[in-house]
Amino acid sequence: MAGVQFGELPLLKYDCEVNSCVYSPDGSSFAVGLFDDSISVYATSNWERTFTLDGHSAGVTGIAYSPNGERIVSGSYDLTVRVWDVATGDCLYILIGHTSSVDGVAYSPQGNVVASRCDYAVRIWDMETGDCRSIISSHSSINDMAFSPKGDNIAVSSRDGTVEVRDVVTGECRYILGGNDGWDMSIIYSPQGDLLASVDRKVMKIWEVETGECRHTTGTCVRTLLSHDQSISSVAYSPQGDLIVSAGEDMTVRLWDVETGECRQTMTGHTGTVKKVLFSPKGDCIASASEDRTVRLWNVGAGTIRKISNNHSDIVLSVKHSPRRNQIASCSQDSTIRIWDAETGVHYRTLIGHTDWVYNIAYSPQDRLVSCSEDKTVRLWDVESGTCRHILTGHSGDVYTVAFSPNGTQVASASGDKIVRLWNTETGECQHILIGHSRPVWFVTYSPQDNHIASASDDKTIRLWDLATGDCQHTLIGHSEGIERIVYSPNGNQIASASDDNTIRLWDVKEGLCSHIFTGHQQYVIRVVYSPQGNQVASASNDKTVRLWDVESGECHQTLIGHKKQIGAIAYSPRGDLMASWSDYGEAILWNVETGECRWTLDYDAVTTKARHIILRHSLVWMSSDVDSFITGCRSGSVRVWDVTREGDQYHVRMRWRSTNGQLTVEEARIQDVQGLSDLNKRLLTQRGAVGEPAIRLGLRETSKKVIAMTSVVSKLKSPSNTTASNSLLPSAANVFTAHSEQQIEQVADPETSEN
């Protein structure tokens, strides 16, 4: 275990109170709002101050980054809100209108509006003009506010003990959460938007936000956490939504498991009230700001040694299986595409070039790969060499979907700029620009005959285009809301569409007419797929059901009920006898298509939150092989391959492999004669009884890059000064131990029998 080094996370000290702190969305910078009227901005790569924003005439009470990280908004005791350019440090807007000190500010997830709050009002500001759009008044003094992840609602907590969820545009009260004490109450949404945490005094409550069709449904409190010894001042969800961090007047920072409600860790070190706490964008670090004039950075997994990861570092948005070889490609919000051996799970190539989220990928029949991104480009890749053959530019909006033509000579791309473009795969030239949609185009697909292409848009229409001329042959009108997904039937004579209007429609491609309207889902339809035989259509909805429809009669054969959360993905097996469905919270079900029976379930309630494999809508794919296998990609950045076997009437699902984060975990170790630590580290080690014991064997666990089974390895851990560590790295808060060694442990040893 040579190469292991000890280190500390930074401690930022000031000459005044710290009121607020925030990470930039990409985690590259960190801003601190101070009582001396200024904002300090740091680069997280070296924690050097990059610049100071001066302009407020009184203490800064709250700060927030815009979603793209280009602006900072700040509120102050001087009654104003200021919007700053991060690149130049210039003040772009001074927003005036509040009649008392501005106690908090927040950017909407879309970045188009900013909310600011004072005693009895929340003001919504337009970020294009700087004008005040609306004022949301409260009957009681306001404590806190939070935008929902979709940005359509804003929750406002008041001192009367209620949380009102308001429509951002109209200000209408949609529902009220009651039962809190109310004094100094903080609130925050979970990243998925289905939970809301509220904190008043010493108690934290987690609410399940159920709106459904009724706009006045009251949320249900699913968990109450008796958390701190004194009042809580701040809470924050982890980016994955599985953890909550809280801080308060008792000068501690506490980490909570959302699923179990258990306190995982209590972090001590502050000597004053902790006023603000938050997670880093990756969720591996917590920042806390205190009245003791410090900002402290805590390692969430204190006591872990990390190695280079072959996982994606962010959410997997799509996975695809190669049509010609045993190969899998995955793309992610981390801007990369990764190539895997489908049999062994070995990751052997990373395609780098995109500068933002990679939304979708597709294989050509010739085994080439195309990708599209939020960076507004499409890229054509040579998978073997890992080189980018062409960068296709021209779209002025995010590119959401790409598709190869059946013969592989052309690529279609659909964008938020309302346009579909057709590209020559050999030259990279744009052959046609298909204009006609009036809103973003979400999806595009080629007909099996390769003579036309279909596009689906948020403008509630589907358009069929002639590939030779680029002319629009038919505009399919009938849906009353935007269209989520379209798919051709195997013979190409029909198109099925799934819409936010809760319906599925079947369209005759030749005539351009609707042949069937499938009704029954109670909420919007997320996904629609044809069976391999083409005689059946399956649909998945936000109402937590899957429905199987007969293409000829239009009748619903089966309604598959069993999911507890909304369904993110569905797929038929290659033979069409099985259906896999996966909810957004890691709950998987395998269905018998003929009978509608549930043949296998992975219940998310039986899995720890940390282990949940949360599948997104384009990340469930059956592999084309003689063996029933399917691929999933998830929010944690991992890719998994599952094998389905049948013994009589019983089905068994086994995970063949998953990509690993290569994490090496040291558990229950004690440190002896460590040198080179700061006085603070030494005191913390002594306080927790982690020093002074004789060195004993150290149990280490590591996930192999090739095989996912956890292996037990017995070794000794040495510090840079060759001192020996034995049984658990300190689960410290302000101090972490970081491994800089990339050596992979291949040998497996029995901890009961190994000598070293």
Side-chain angles (χ1 to χ4, degrees), residues 213-281:
E213 298 297 322
C214 176
R215 295 172 65 85
H216 299 284
T217 301
T218 300
T220 302
C221 181
V222 295
R223 183 159 290 110
T224 299
L225 309 178
L226 299 174
S227 45
H228 286 262
D229 298 328
Q230 297 183 46
S231 294
I232 301 170
S233 55
S234 180
V235 292
Y237 267 96
S238 67
Q240 296 77 22
D242 58 339
L243 299 173
I244 287 179
V245 63
S246 61
E249 292 180 0
D250 63 3
M251 300 178 284
T252 67
V253 176
R254 299 185 186 225
L255 194 62
W256 304 88
D257 188 297
V258 172
E259 185 68 18
T260 65
E262 295 177 351
C263 180
R264 286 192 178 182
Q265 195 171 352
T266 300
M267 293 162 265
T268 60
H270 281 296
T271 58
T273 297
V274 184
K275 301 184 70 174
K276 179 70 175 180
V277 67
L278 71 156
F279 278 91
S280 65

Side-chain angles (χ1 to χ4, degrees), residues 576-631:
D577 58 334
L578 297 174
M579 161 73 66
S581 59
W582 213 291
S583 81
D584 279 355
Y585 285 80
E587 177 190 34
I589 299 180
L590 194 67
W591 308 89
N592 184 304
V593 170
E594 183 178 355
T595 65
E597 292 178 327
C598 171
R599 308 305 299 174
W600 172 81
T601 301
L602 174 63
D603 191 344
Y604 76 94
D605 282 331
V607 182
T608 63
T609 305
K610 186 176 180 180
R612 286 185 191 169
H613 188 54
I614 303 176
I615 308 303
L616 302 183
R617 297 182 190 178
H618 301 289
S619 299
L620 172 61
V621 178
W622 283 85
M623 295 168 61
S624 301
S625 62
D626 294 333
V627 179
D628 280 330
S629 303
F630 58 93
I631 315 161

Side-chain angles (χ1 to χ4, degrees), residues 71 81 83 92-96 107 111-114 124-134:
R71 295 181 177 183
V81 177
V83 181
L92 303 177
Y93 297 118
I94 302 176
L95 311 179
I96 300 174
Y107 253 101
N112 59 331
V113 297
V114 159
I124 306 296
W125 307 88
D126 189 303
M127 284 297 95
E128 288 296 322
T129 64
D131 296 331
C132 181
R133 281 190 181 183
S134 61

